[in-house]
Amino acid sequence: MMILGSNKHMNRFKAYFVVYSSHLFLTPRFMKRLILFCAALCAFGSPIHAQPFTYQFINHQMPIIQNGTLATGDMNNDGRMDYVTTGFWSNIPDGTIFRNQGVQVTVDLSGVTITQLLQDLRPGSDMPKMVFGTIALGDVDNDGDLDFAASGATNTQAPYTTTAGIFTNLLTSGIRKLGTYIDPLYSGDLAFGDFDNDGRLDLAQCGASAEGVYSTKIFRNDWPTFPTGAPTFKDIGAGLIGVAFCDVAWNDIDNDGDLDLTVSGATTTSSHTRVYRNTDGRFTDMGFNLVPLVFSSLDWGDFDHDGDDDLVISGGKYGPGLLTGVTKLYRNDAGSLTEMAVNFPGAFSGKTAWTDFDNDGDLDVLLIGGDTAITNPRARVMQNLGGGNFRPAVNLIGAMLAAVGIGDIDGDADSDVMIQGYNGVTGAASYFRNDTPNLNLLPTAPKNLKTEVSGNTVTLSWDASLDLLTPEKGLMYNARIGTTTGGQQILSAMANLTTGLRRLTAHGNAGHRRSLTIRGLKNGIYYWSVQAMDSGFAGSAFAEETTFSITGAQNEGSVEEIEETLPTEIFQITSSYPNPFDNHTTLELTVPAPGKLQVRVLDLLGKQVRLLTDTTVASGKLQLGWDAADATGRRLPAGMYLVEARYGDQQTVQKVMVR
């Protein structure tokens, strides 16, 4: 048991306070936590023992969703975690964003009732409505808000009709589908990660096609710096094992500065769990003997604070009769994985995740799932006691076929959980607010920022931060790079750049390393900063901004491509020039084969303001001009517009700016 009043923790607190009191970033968010913590220290003359987890079941306004997916993130940049969800409710496949509006407290004769208030935003007709699907959140266009990728089926019975796409977040104007770009798969997974270190989020995908083909692919994000250029995701032909009923996760397993990929799921004849090492964009199986699972859930986190993220994985293992739920923990020692004897309960068809539920600086494990496909659904927290030892700490209402959202939903600096799924009797939606009394102070901001430039490549570095509870090696870091002061057009931090508050519960883009390399930059001046993150994914304030210059770029920023593995022609808006523009811009499109093409200009509410073409065209390159006017010839107001191009069943969208 951690003793906050011990000499060890008191000494760390003194050092922490000295460092932070001399720092520039004494924000109100930090000072509130510091005052509460100091009050707790002063109130007890004896050591303060860490309290057990304290959960409260909270009423909420989310429907019960079956065969769904659930992701948590701050979708409107108001500092509150929202829910992005799809699944089967109201008797149809559906999809929406539930905006978090805080809680309502009602007092009557029966007592006090607390309800989480949610606003169903219905963010436009482009919102995917699907089942057996998956959603991944990330800032695809580096404009500072969370976008998402989605894939799934639009009907509940075989044969399935599948759908997929990349969706941009227009905040108050809803969401807009940029295009399909990825494969329409169901019973799969999606994960964003920048595997080629160019600052743009790439995408890993696994799942089953409507024809029953299982596949695993990596799509590289070749969208140039926002807001110019066209969105393009290209299959790199990575040669990964094709799986469905699966999970994929990015992590720098060997700490060499680039992201590797873990894949777990079923082929048509068996099941597999494999880790692929990333070497300059080529992926090779690392040959680990990991438990083969189906309906897999996996997560990486540094439970032993050695600077290497460790793997926890659960799912179903083939055996006589029913699939049996299994959960395994593998310790990572400098890129080598060793199974730990932890005796975790099985968690079939659910969710397994690292999260510091008791705010003691150590990662605990949340297990959701069943012993088999039909028995003993559970939701259990396994508390990290240190030294590789865990104990059952809390039992919540369990679920199978579960969709789970984890994050600081109520803004009190601890991890809450929303669980959707089958509880053994019926479908259920359960929100558990974490009311642990243990306070989580923020890490200090990194200092001594440095840059090293070579050609069109920069390596950023900084000194280690300090945290009261998370040891130095256990801290993570999260950087941003912009072309303007305070910007992040090159590398998004997915955080509030003023307060450091994270917009989603995820690892920082630099991992545990105190350096980060970004390639393919154009000549110019860049502005950057970095924040530290603790085991609870709480972000410090950002360090004081600094700059660097690129002067030796030879090819104006294009990252070296492996063209022989990529399709030669895809439907896309390849450019709009100039952009931004005053009176005229030229749009260039690539059409892979003759067919019907419609191109129109929309405002941010999705209303058509100009039809540019609606006709059958030949294959090849096509140019269209737009004079910033509507269909009547009236000059439109300055601002952002969307150029939507449809070709057959494909769609792509480009943002253009009228000055």
Side-chain angles (χ1 to χ4, degrees):
M1 178 174 290
M2 179 189 70
I3 300 177
L4 297 180
S6 66
N7 289 334
K8 170 187 172 183
H9 285 90
M10 283 301 295
N11 289 337
R12 290 188 67 188
F13 175 75
K14 291 175 183 177
Y16 176 92
F17 184 80
V18 168
V19 170
Y20 229 126
S21 63
S22 64
H23 206 277
L24 296 175
F25 298 99
L26 289 172
T27 64
R29 176 169 163 246
F30 165 75
M31 287 305 297
K32 178 181 178 181
R33 296 186 184 195
L34 185 61
I35 291 169
L36 288 171
F37 188 83
C38 289
L41 284 179
C42 295
F44 293 85
S46 57
I48 304 172
H49 295 266
Q51 301 300 306
F53 306 112
T54 304
Y55 281 94
Q56 186 171 358
F57 180 88
I58 301 295
N59 293 327
H60 58 86
Q61 297 176 319
M62 184 178 289
I64 295 173
I65 300 171
Q66 302 175 38
N67 302 321
T69 186
L70 184 64
T72 53
D74 182 5
M75 299 300 293
N76 58 347
N77 296 350
D78 67 350
R80 291 172 174 166
M81 289 287 189
D82 310 300
Y83 300 105
V84 185
T85 187
T86 65
F88 188 81
W89 74 91
S90 300
N91 297 315
I92 57 171
D94 209 341
T96 193
I97 297 174
F98 289 101
R99 179 184 175 187
N100 181 356
Q101 296 188 299
V103 298
Q104 173 182 284
V105 180
T106 303
V107 181
D108 56 27
L109 295 178
S110 62
V112 178
T113 302
I114 301 175
T115 302
Q116 184 190 20
L117 301 179
L118 299 173
Q119 179 187 6
D120 186 347
L121 292 181
R122 292 290 144 182
S125 60
D126 279 359
M127 182 71 199
K129 296 174 173 56
M130 63 187 192
V131 293
F132 310 122
T134 183
I135 289 174
L137 302 182
D139 188 0
V140 175
D141 48 11
N142 287 355
D143 65 350
D145 51 52
L146 294 179
D147 313 298
F148 65 91
S151 180
T154 58
N155 57 320
T156 59
Q157 300 291 330
Y160 297 112
T161 302
T162 53
T163 185
I166 307 293
F167 300 83
T168 187
N169 182 359
L170 303 176
L171 297 178
T172 57
S173 299
I175 62 102
R176 179 68 61 190
K177 185 175 182 179
L178 294 172
T180 301
Y181 301 120
I182 59 177
D183 291 347
L185 306 177
Y186 70 96
S187 294
D189 193 37
L190 293 163
F192 279 117
D194 181 14
F195 80 87
D196 53 359
N197 287 6
D198 65 352
R200 306 180 189 98
L201 289 177
D202 311 299
L203 192 63
Q205 181 186 28
C206 65
S209 70
E211 297 74 27
V213 177
Y214 296 2
S215 69
T216 306
K217 294 181 180 180
I218 296 172
F219 295 89
R220 188 178 64 225
N221 180 356
D222 286 341
W223 190 345
T225 305
F226 176 84
T228 62
T232 303
F233 282 77
K234 295 180 179 179
D235 176 10
I236 70 168
L240 311 176
I241 187 170
V243 294
F245 311 101
C246 52
D247 202 6
V248 290
W250 294 103
N251 188 268
D252 186 6
I253 298 156
D254 48 8
N255 266 337
D256 64 351
D258 52 33
L259 291 177
D260 311 298
L261 184 67
T262 308
V263 179
S264 182
T267 65
T268 55
T269 58
S270 59
S271 57
H272 300 266
T273 299
R274 297 186 181 180
V275 180
Y276 292 91
R277 186 195 306 275
N278 176 8
T279 306
D280 298 326
R282 309 276 183 176
F283 289 82
T284 56
D285 187 352
M286 297 182 71
F288 296 126
N289 183 25
L290 304 178
V291 59
L293 297 176
V294 61
F295 292 99
S296 307
S297 176
L298 60 92
D299 198 16
W300 289 91
D302 186 12
F303 81 88
D304 52 1
H305 299 307
D306 63 353
D308 297 318
D309 280 335
D310 311 292
L311 174 65
V312 62
I313 181 170
S314 67
K317 186 174 182 180
Y318 287 116
L322 294 172
L323 288 164
T324 301
V326 171
T327 305
K328 298 287 187 180
L329 171 60
Y330 296 93
R331 188 184 64 219
N332 181 2
D333 294 308
S336 178
L337 298 182
T338 302
E339 183 178 345
M340 302 286 290
V342 291
N343 196 30
F344 285 165
F348 175 82
S349 190
K351 177 74 172 180
T352 295
W354 292 108
T355 185
D356 184 10
F357 272 82
D358 52 356
N359 279 352
D360 67 348
D362 297 322
L363 284 177
D364 312 295
V365 178
L366 172 64
L367 301 173
I368 300 172
D371 282 339
T372 70
I374 59 174
T375 61
N376 196 20
R378 66 168 57 87
R380 182 173 297 172
V381 176
M382 304 296 294
Q383 185 182 17
N384 183 355
L385 303 177
N389 298 307
F390 293 79
R391 72 173 183 90
V394 173
N395 287 317
L396 308 175
I397 298 174
M400 297 180 295
L401 303 173
V404 181
I406 302 173
D408 184 12
I409 305 300
D410 58 352
D412 65 349
D414 52 38
S415 291
D416 313 296
V417 58
M418 170 72 80
I419 304 173
Q420 291 269 9
Y422 177 70
N423 65 10
V425 178
T426 185
S430 305
Y431 170 47
F432 295 97
R433 190 179 71 186
N434 184 358
D435 290 334
T436 177
N438 300 332
L439 301 175
N440 181 21
L441 296 179
L442 301 176
T444 61
K447 290 186 176 182
N448 194 23
L449 278 59
K450 298 178 181 178
T451 57
E452 182 179 337
V453 174
S454 176
N456 64 0
T457 298
V458 64
T459 297
L460 315 174
S461 62
W462 50 87
D463 288 349
S465 293
L466 179 66
D467 187 77
L468 181 62
L469 297 175
T470 303
E472 179 181 310
K473 286 187 176 181
L475 291 173
M476 296 173 285
Y477 296 92
N478 188 46
R480 58 100 177 156
I481 304 175
T483 55
T484 59
T485 181
Q488 51 185 340
Q489 297 91 339
I490 302 300
L491 178 66
S492 175
M494 293 184 281
N496 184 311
L497 302 185
T498 301
T499 66
L501 183 65
R502 297 277 290 153
R503 296 211 160 108
L504 76 172
T505 304
H507 290 226
N509 51 36
H512 297 287
R513 294 169 59 89
R514 287 187 285 112
S515 65
L516 178 65
T517 298
I518 297 295
R519 304 183 179 95
L521 296 171
K522 298 180 180 181
N523 291 332
I525 300 174
Y526 295 87
Y527 305 80
W528 76 281
S529 184
V530 63
Q531 66 176 163
M533 294 170 54
D534 64 18
S535 293
F537 301 101
S540 74
F542 279 85
E544 185 175 0
E545 183 178 77
T546 188
T547 64
F548 64 90
S549 296
I550 298 291
T551 59
Q554 299 299 313
N555 58 0
E556 280 299 289
S558 63
V559 181
E560 182 180 355
E561 299 182 358
I562 311 170
E563 293 294 347
E564 65 272 16
T565 65
L566 302 179
T568 56
E569 293 286 351
I570 61 173
F571 173 60
Q572 60 179 316
I573 302 175
T574 52
S575 67
S576 59
Y577 183 82
N579 187 16
F581 68 100
D582 295 309
N583 299 311
H584 190 274
T585 187
T586 298
L587 303 161
E588 183 174 283
L589 297 91
T590 299
V591 181
K596 180 71 174 296
L597 175 69
Q598 181 190 78
V599 181
R600 57 185 188 147
V601 181
L602 312 175
D603 62 20
L604 290 183
L605 296 177
K607 179 182 177 181
Q608 178 178 309
V609 296
R610 181 76 174 269
L611 179 65
L612 299 182
T613 188
D614 189 3
T615 186
T616 300
V617 297
S619 62
K621 302 291 185 181
L622 173 69
Q623 288 189 343
L624 295 171
W626 182 43
D627 57 3
D630 65 14
T632 67
R634 180 179 62 89
R635 164 80 182 196
L636 290 169
M640 183 178 292
Y641 294 85
L642 306 173
V643 178
E644 178 195 71
R646 293 182 180 269
Y647 164 76
D649 61 355
Q650 299 183 58
Q651 177 196 45
T652 183
V653 175
Q654 167 136 9
K655 298 177 183 179
V656 293
M657 185 76 71
V658 176
R659 287 190 295 219

